[in-house]
């Protein structure tokens, strides 16, 4: 082709693309003015979608405050609080003002950098060299961790998941760098289970569950032994290892031990990358600093303990790892379907420049809400937080054990041996329980039905002779943690969970003498309502409607679980 012809073609192409870029910019700016409820549902996958006419997503939450509900569901998800909702609305308005002056893309990138700074400040990580990678969810963050580890560890890679039976079900796919759904948070259609990158085919995946094949729970010593053997076997085969340790599972359990992880790091330096799943964020800030000082990557969210809206995840990258990635280039192709340029820290300039800047407004606003929850939580004195959690950890199991047909799950030996680094989380904050049947325990489907009934008004589903007090109790929506399937005495059942979150502690705080006692009393009064409604449901199961209306149908944690 003649040079003149080529130049004409390029010029014509540029003229054609200019209106397209202008239209895209206009669309982005227009999206800023969408209702906040709508934006809080944006930038995620199908798990955020509202189901039917319920106004709730599959987690039983809504993108607006729900103050009428009793909420002990932070082990799964929470509806946004009124305080965080107002903060997110103000953040939206500030971005509109800034975008009018500096442009949306530049303004959004600036707001994300500010969020990184704020997060490090609240978590006590300033000055540690920790970098923050944002992601739509903990599941997305886990996938990014695998892809980043493969980038600097190399192949072949063995991915070992500790506590695989008490993590999100998407881990089955993400640990092997495979798509965990049919659509990504960036709106890309993908094939669930297919490799995100060609290198995924070289990843060997090993699951180490808390329960053995008979359903019996392993002790901490048994978990350590299984983890050590799996790592040693992979290294002997000439493989690098991505070891996903568990810090607070769906039941709040942790493994392997600190000693086991330290021994692995010392024995195989440069061959094993430990990634700690702290997505529940039931972790002391001192513990967090210690993990990062040991060069462990940390998976985290703002939507579990901190009670922010679902779908706010990320990675905390220790300085040594971050420095290596600052000079890296060549993202796996599949990363483009899961990450935006602003998700990546500015220190990783080469990797960052490989990605498009397409603002995920929903993800940012959900993080703004979560950061507000963090801010308010850390205004509480540590002594108050620690003593309230300790008081609750003593009282809730006793209340569950005293309830009709309820049985609390005991923590296996050593899976919650915490120390000073764990601050308030030296005591448990998740309290799982099963429900006895006439013979054995209620089946998983029955537990799901009870979980759904707790979250709706069932006053018109009771027997005709219900008292006014029972009708009032039946009408009260109660949110607790989703059922988690498990084998109990040879029978498949599920455990429900009462989980304490940051909002529970903040909303029961009042200064002055006896603040701890008042908070524990208020929280236990709400726990009593939950347990009372469960007893009411059990008494009326045969009389209640069999068709669940106006509530989500998918209630087991099968939707990638983060």
């Amino acid at each position: 082709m003649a040079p003149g012809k080529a130049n004409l073609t390029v010029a014509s192409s540029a003229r054609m693309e200019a209106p397209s870029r202008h239209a895209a910019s206009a669309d982005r700016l227009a999206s800023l003015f969408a209702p906040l409820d709508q934006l809080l549902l944006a930038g995620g996958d199908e798990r955020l979608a509202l189901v039917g006419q319920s106004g709730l997503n599959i987690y039983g939450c809504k993108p607006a405050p729900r103050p009428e509900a009793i909420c002990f569901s932070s082990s799964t998800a929470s509806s946004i609080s009124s305080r965080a909702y107002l903060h997110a609305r103000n953040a939206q308005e500030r971005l509109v003002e800034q975008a009018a002056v500096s442009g949306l893309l530049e303004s959004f990138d600036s707001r994300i950098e500010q969020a990184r700074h704020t997060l490090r400040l609240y978590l006590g990580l300033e000055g540690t060299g920790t970098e923050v990678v944002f992601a739509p969810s903990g599941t997305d963050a886990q996938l990014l961790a695998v892809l980043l580890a493969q980038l600097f560890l190399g192949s072949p890679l063995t991915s070992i998941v500790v506590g695989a039976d008490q993590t999100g079900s998407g881990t089955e796919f993400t640990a092997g760098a495979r798509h965990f759904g049919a659509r990504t948070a960036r709106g890309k259609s993908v094939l669930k289970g297919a490799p995100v990158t060609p290198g995924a085919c070289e990843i060997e995946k090993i699951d180490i569950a808390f329960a053995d094949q008979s359903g019996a729970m392993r002790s901490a010593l048994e978990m350590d032994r299984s983890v050590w053997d799996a790592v040693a076997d992979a290294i002997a085969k000439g493989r690098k290892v991505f070891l996903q340790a568990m810090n607070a599972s769906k039941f709040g359990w942790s493994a392997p031990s600190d000693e086991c992880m330290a021994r692995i790091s010392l024995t195989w330096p440069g061959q094993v990358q430990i990634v700690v799943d702290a997505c529940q964020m039931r972790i002391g800030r001192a513990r967090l600093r210690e993990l990062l000082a040991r060069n462990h990557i940390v998976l985290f969210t703002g939507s579990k303990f901190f009670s922010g809206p679902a779908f706010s995840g990320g990675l905390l990258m220790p300085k040594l790892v971050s420095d290596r990635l600052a000079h890296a280039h060549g993202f796996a192709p599949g990363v483009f379907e899961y990450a935006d340029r602003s998700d990546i820290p500015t220190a990783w300039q080469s990797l960052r420049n490989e990605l498009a800047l397409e603002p995920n407004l929903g993800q940012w606003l959900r993080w703004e809400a979560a950061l507000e929850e963090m801010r308010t939580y850390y205004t509480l004195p540590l002594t108050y937080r620690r003593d309230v959690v300790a008081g609750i950890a003593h009282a809730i199991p006793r209340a569950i054990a005293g309830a009709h047909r309820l049985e609390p799950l005991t923590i296996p030996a050593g899976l919650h041996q915490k120390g000073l680094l764990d601050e308030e989380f030296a005591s448990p904050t998740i309290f799982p329980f099963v429900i006895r049947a006439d013979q054995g325990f209620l089946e998983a489907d029955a537990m799901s039905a009870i979980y759904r009934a707790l979250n709706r008004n069932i006053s018109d589903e009771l027997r005709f002779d219900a008292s006014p007090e029972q009708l009032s109790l039946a009408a009260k929506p109660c949110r607790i943690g989703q059922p988690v399937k498990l084998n109990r005495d040879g029978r498949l059942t599920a455990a429900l969970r009462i989980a304490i979150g940051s909002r529970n502690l903040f909303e029961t705080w009042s200064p002055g003498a006896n603040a701890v006692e008042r908070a524990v009393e208020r929280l236990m009064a709400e726990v009593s309502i939950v347990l009372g409604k469960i007893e009411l449901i059990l008494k009326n199961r045969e009389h209640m409607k069999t068709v669940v209306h106006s509530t989500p149908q998918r209630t087991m944690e099968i939707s990638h679980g983060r």
Side-chain angles (χ1 to χ4, degrees):
M1 182 180 295
K5 181 67 171 178
N7 290 339
L8 178 61
T9 302
V10 171
S12 299
S13 175
R15 286 195 298 270
M16 292 175 64
E17 290 177 1
S20 176
R21 290 196 298 269
H22 179 75
S25 178
D27 287 344
R28 293 191 195 103
L29 195 57
S31 66
L32 267 178
F33 295 91
L36 180 58
D37 294 27
Q38 180 179 321
L39 287 175
L40 288 170
L41 294 175
D45 57 42
E46 66 274 9
R47 291 173 286 172
L48 272 182
L50 301 184
V51 181
Q53 301 299 313
S54 67
L56 306 174
N57 58 28
I58 61 171
Y59 300 119
C61 300
K62 50 191 299 190
R66 198 184 182 206
E68 71 277 10
I70 289 177
C71 189
F72 292 112
S73 62
S74 63
S75 58
T76 299
S78 308
S79 295
I80 190 170
S81 70
S82 299
R83 179 183 59 258
Y85 188 86
L86 179 60
H87 178 85
R89 175 178 288 166
N90 291 337
Q92 178 187 9
E93 292 172 354
R94 289 195 301 270
L95 180 59
V96 169
E97 295 169 357
Q98 188 175 348
V101 176
S102 305
L104 177 57
L105 296 183
E106 294 78 5
S107 300
F108 182 78
D109 212 19
S110 172
R111 299 300 301 178
I112 295 296
E113 283 305 303
Q114 181 59 44
R116 282 192 174 88
H117 170 74
T118 302
L119 179 70
R120 282 191 291 258
L121 180 66
Y122 292 163
L123 294 180
L125 300 176
E126 288 291 272
T128 64
T130 301
E131 286 292 356
V132 178
V133 177
F134 284 118
S137 70
T139 313
D140 292 84
Q142 186 180 59
L143 177 59
L144 290 175
V146 174
L147 295 174
L148 288 170
Q150 193 173 35
L151 185 63
F152 62 80
L153 277 178
S155 296
L157 187 69
T158 294
S159 184
I160 300 173
V161 181
V162 183
D165 52 342
Q166 287 188 42
T167 187
S169 59
T171 304
E172 176 185 351
F173 304 100
T174 57
R178 295 178 179 274
H179 296 295
F180 57 87
R183 184 176 64 85
T184 73
R186 297 194 68 208
K188 307 294 184 180
S189 295
V190 294
L191 180 62
K192 184 176 181 178
V196 171
T197 173
C201 298
E202 301 176 0
I203 298 178
E204 173 191 43
K205 179 175 172 292
I206 297 174
D207 290 342
I208 299 177
F210 283 113
D212 63 21
Q213 292 183 346
S214 71
M217 297 299 175
R218 294 186 172 101
S219 68
L221 184 61
E222 291 170 322
M223 292 295 289
D224 280 0
R225 188 179 300 118
S226 297
V227 171
W228 177 268
D229 290 345
V231 173
D233 183 62
I235 297 294
K237 293 176 181 177
R239 305 181 71 87
K240 301 296 179 65
V241 174
F242 175 95
L243 174 60
Q244 182 175 301
M246 176 62 75
N247 187 291
S249 67
K250 291 181 179 181
F251 292 162
W253 302 346
S254 299
S257 66
D258 290 344
E259 294 75 16
C260 181
M261 288 192 288
R263 186 181 169 206
I264 288 170
S265 296
L266 184 64
T267 305
W268 296 292
Q271 296 176 279
V272 180
Q273 178 58 56
I274 296 177
V275 179
V276 178
D277 182 351
C279 284
Q280 284 285 339
M281 285 305 284
R282 299 170 195 277
I283 183 170
R285 290 186 288 186
R287 169 74 61 190
L288 203 53
R289 289 191 295 271
E290 176 72 12
L291 293 175
L292 291 163
R294 294 187 179 191
N295 299 315
H296 302 335
I297 296 172
V298 179
L299 301 170
F300 73 107
T301 71
S303 58
K304 298 296 185 180
F305 177 78
F306 286 111
S307 310
F311 270 62
S312 50
L315 297 166
L316 296 175
M317 308 296 292
K319 185 179 187 305
L320 182 64
V321 175
S322 179
D323 288 348
R324 296 176 68 180
L325 289 169
H327 304 289
H329 59 85
F331 259 140
V335 172
F336 307 140
E337 296 164 345
Y338 288 91
D340 167 73
R341 185 186 305 168
S342 61
D343 294 331
I344 307 301
T346 54
W348 305 357
Q349 202 59 49
S350 294
L351 290 173
R352 180 181 166 89
N353 288 341
E354 295 177 17
L355 300 173
L357 183 54
E358 293 290 340
N360 187 332
L361 296 174
Q363 176 181 306
W364 167 65
L365 286 168
R366 291 189 292 273
W367 259 116
E368 284 289 335
L371 289 171
E372 174 63 10
E373 298 286 8
M374 287 186 185
R375 184 194 67 78
T376 55
Y377 179 69
Y378 286 122
T379 62
L380 300 174
L382 174 58
T383 53
Y384 167 83
R385 303 192 318 255
R386 184 186 60 221
D387 293 349
V388 171
V389 171
I392 285 294
H394 175 74
I396 290 182
R398 292 168 61 91
I400 292 172
H404 179 58
R405 294 172 59 179
L406 273 57
E407 180 179 302
L409 292 185
T410 56
I411 302 173
L415 294 186
H416 197 92
Q417 285 187 352
K418 303 288 187 176
L420 291 177
L421 290 178
D422 299 284
E423 299 167 347
E424 61 264 50
F425 301 103
S427 301
T429 55
I430 300 177
F431 306 95
F433 60 92
V434 291
I435 300 179
R436 291 184 292 271
D438 292 336
Q439 294 183 343
F441 296 89
L442 288 182
E443 295 179 350
D445 287 348
M447 296 294 279
S448 289
I450 291 169
Y451 168 79
R452 292 194 298 269
L454 278 170
N455 197 32
R456 70 174 190 269
N457 181 347
I458 58 168
S459 56
D460 60 346
E461 301 175 42
L462 304 183
R463 293 180 297 189
F464 64 88
D465 58 348
S467 68
E469 292 78 12
Q470 289 176 321
L471 291 173
S472 177
L473 180 60
K476 188 69 175 175
C478 299
R479 291 279 296 120
I480 63 174
Q482 285 178 320
V484 180
K485 291 181 180 179
L486 75 161
N487 188 315
R488 191 75 169 172
D489 295 343
R491 184 174 185 176
L492 184 63
T493 182
L496 295 171
R497 297 166 290 162
I498 293 175
I500 302 300
S502 67
R503 198 184 303 171
N504 298 119
L505 272 70
F506 181 78
E507 292 181 350
T508 53
W509 157 255
S510 59
N514 303 319
V516 171
E517 291 79 3
R518 289 196 303 274
V520 171
E521 184 178 351
R522 284 183 58 187
L523 286 169
M524 288 310 301
E526 293 188 342
V527 169
S528 296
I529 292 173
V530 172
L531 298 180
K533 187 166 182 179
I534 291 174
E535 183 173 0
L536 189 64
I537 292 167
L538 291 173
K539 287 181 177 179
N540 287 271
R541 284 180 66 211
E542 300 303 320
H543 302 269
M544 293 175 65
K545 298 177 181 177
T546 58
V547 178
V548 178
H549 56 82
S550 72
T551 54
Q553 296 296 305
R554 293 175 62 191
T555 57
M556 297 300 291
E557 288 193 327
I558 58 174
S559 55
H560 322 316
R562 298 286 185 189

